[in-house]
């Protein structure tokens, strides 16, 4: 069964995290809520996420610093970040968010249906990426099996060409081995 997409929710206020979880309810995504930038970075060490919803203004490590750390890591640099903030529409804050790698910057109050739509798109992209990776893995495995089969058939042909009483029996054994996927 395919792994379910996850959304990392980062906000220092529990009520905001609960609201985000409610907004995402019913979407094909598992929300993972944390209350700080530090906790987000720790979570990103163990889990993969389709999208990160990140509060821009938090104590200690704010969203901008958190995003900067996320984008510096090879494993997480391609995870889309949506900044959410209660600050008014300060263009400088939005530019700062985009500068550290955010794909969008939403100010509160935002339309929950717009947020759901944006998250849905990133979940769909993540799911399709996972499917492509699985297909690529399956293709590599089939190519490896084909290579092993070809090598075994080549060995069988070599044995058949050789002179010897047991050559035909050995060749048949090799061909049977190839037929059933043995090594």
């Amino acid at each position: 069964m395919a792994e379910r997409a996850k959304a990392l929710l980062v906000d220092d206020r529990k009520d905001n995290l609960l609201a985000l979880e409610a907004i995402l309810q019913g979407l094909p995504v598992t929300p993972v809520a944390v209350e700080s930038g530090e906790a987000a970075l720790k979570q990103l060490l163990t889990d993969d996420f389709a999208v990160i919803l990140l509060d821009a203004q938090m104590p200690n490590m704010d969203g901008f610093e958190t995003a900067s750390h996320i984008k510096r890591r090879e494993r997480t640099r391609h995870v889309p970040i949506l900044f959410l903030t209660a600050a008014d529409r300060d263009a400088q804050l939005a530019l700062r968010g985009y500068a550290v790698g955010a794909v969008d910057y939403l100010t509160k109050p935002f339309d929950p249906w717009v947020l759901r739509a944006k998250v849905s798109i990133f979940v769909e992209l993540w799911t399709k990426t996972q499917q492509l990776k699985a297909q690529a893995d399956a293709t590599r495995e089939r190519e490896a099996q084909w290579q092993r089969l070809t090598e075994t058939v080549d060995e069988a042909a070599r044995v058949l060409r050789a002179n010897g009483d047991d050559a035909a029996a050995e060749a048949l054994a090799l061909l049977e081995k190839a037929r059933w996927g043995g090594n």
Side-chain angles (χ1 to χ4, degrees), residues 14-75:
K14 286 185 182 186
D15 56 333
N16 287 343
L17 291 171
L18 289 172
L20 288 173
E21 288 175 339
I23 289 169
L24 298 180
Q25 197 167 30
L27 293 180
V29 64
T30 301
V32 176
V34 296
E35 295 181 29
S36 70
E38 294 88 349
L41 295 175
K42 287 179 185 173
Q43 195 69 48
L44 287 162
L45 291 173
T46 58
D47 288 327
D48 294 321
F49 292 92
V51 63
I52 300 169
L53 305 182
L54 181 58
D55 183 21
Q57 298 178 320
M58 296 183 292
N60 301 323
M61 182 186 297
D62 68 12
F64 303 107
E65 185 180 352
T66 303
S68 178
H69 285 292
I70 291 168
K71 293 301 180 178
R72 279 195 295 243
R73 292 180 178 173
E74 181 62 35
R75 179 176 179 192

Side-chain angles (χ1 to χ4, degrees), residues 112-143:
W113 294 104
V114 170
L115 182 61
R116 283 176 63 87
K118 290 175 185 283
V119 169
S120 292
I121 288 168
F122 290 115
V123 166
E124 184 177 339
L125 288 171
W126 183 88
T127 301
K128 292 196 181 306
T129 299
Q130 298 309 306
Q131 290 169 347
L132 287 173
K133 286 179 182 175
Q135 288 174 350
D137 290 345
T139 298
R140 277 191 293 278
E141 179 56 32
R142 281 192 302 276
E143 287 172 354

Side-chain angles (χ1 to χ4, degrees), residues 50-112:
V51 63
I52 300 169
L53 305 182
L54 181 58
D55 183 21
Q57 298 178 320
M58 296 183 292
N60 301 323
M61 182 186 297
D62 68 12
F64 303 107
E65 185 180 352
T66 303
S68 178
H69 285 292
I70 291 168
K71 293 301 180 178
R72 279 195 295 243
R73 292 180 178 173
E74 181 62 35
R75 179 176 179 192
T76 58
R77 75 172 29 131
H78 299 294
V79 179
I81 298 172
L82 297 172
F83 269 114
L84 308 174
T85 185
D88 4 353
R89 300 184 180 275
D90 181 349
Q92 292 294 15
L93 285 178
L95 287 174
R96 187 173 170 206
Y98 292 123
V100 294
V103 296
D104 209 348
Y105 191 96
L106 302 174
T107 56
K108 300 172 190 172
F110 51 81
D111 184 338

Side-chain angles (χ1 to χ4, degrees), residues 137-152:
D137 290 345
T139 298
R140 277 191 293 278
E141 179 56 32
R142 281 192 302 276
E143 287 172 354
Q145 288 173 343
W146 181 254
Q147 181 65 33
R148 288 190 299 270
L149 177 63
T150 302
E151 290 168 359
T152 304

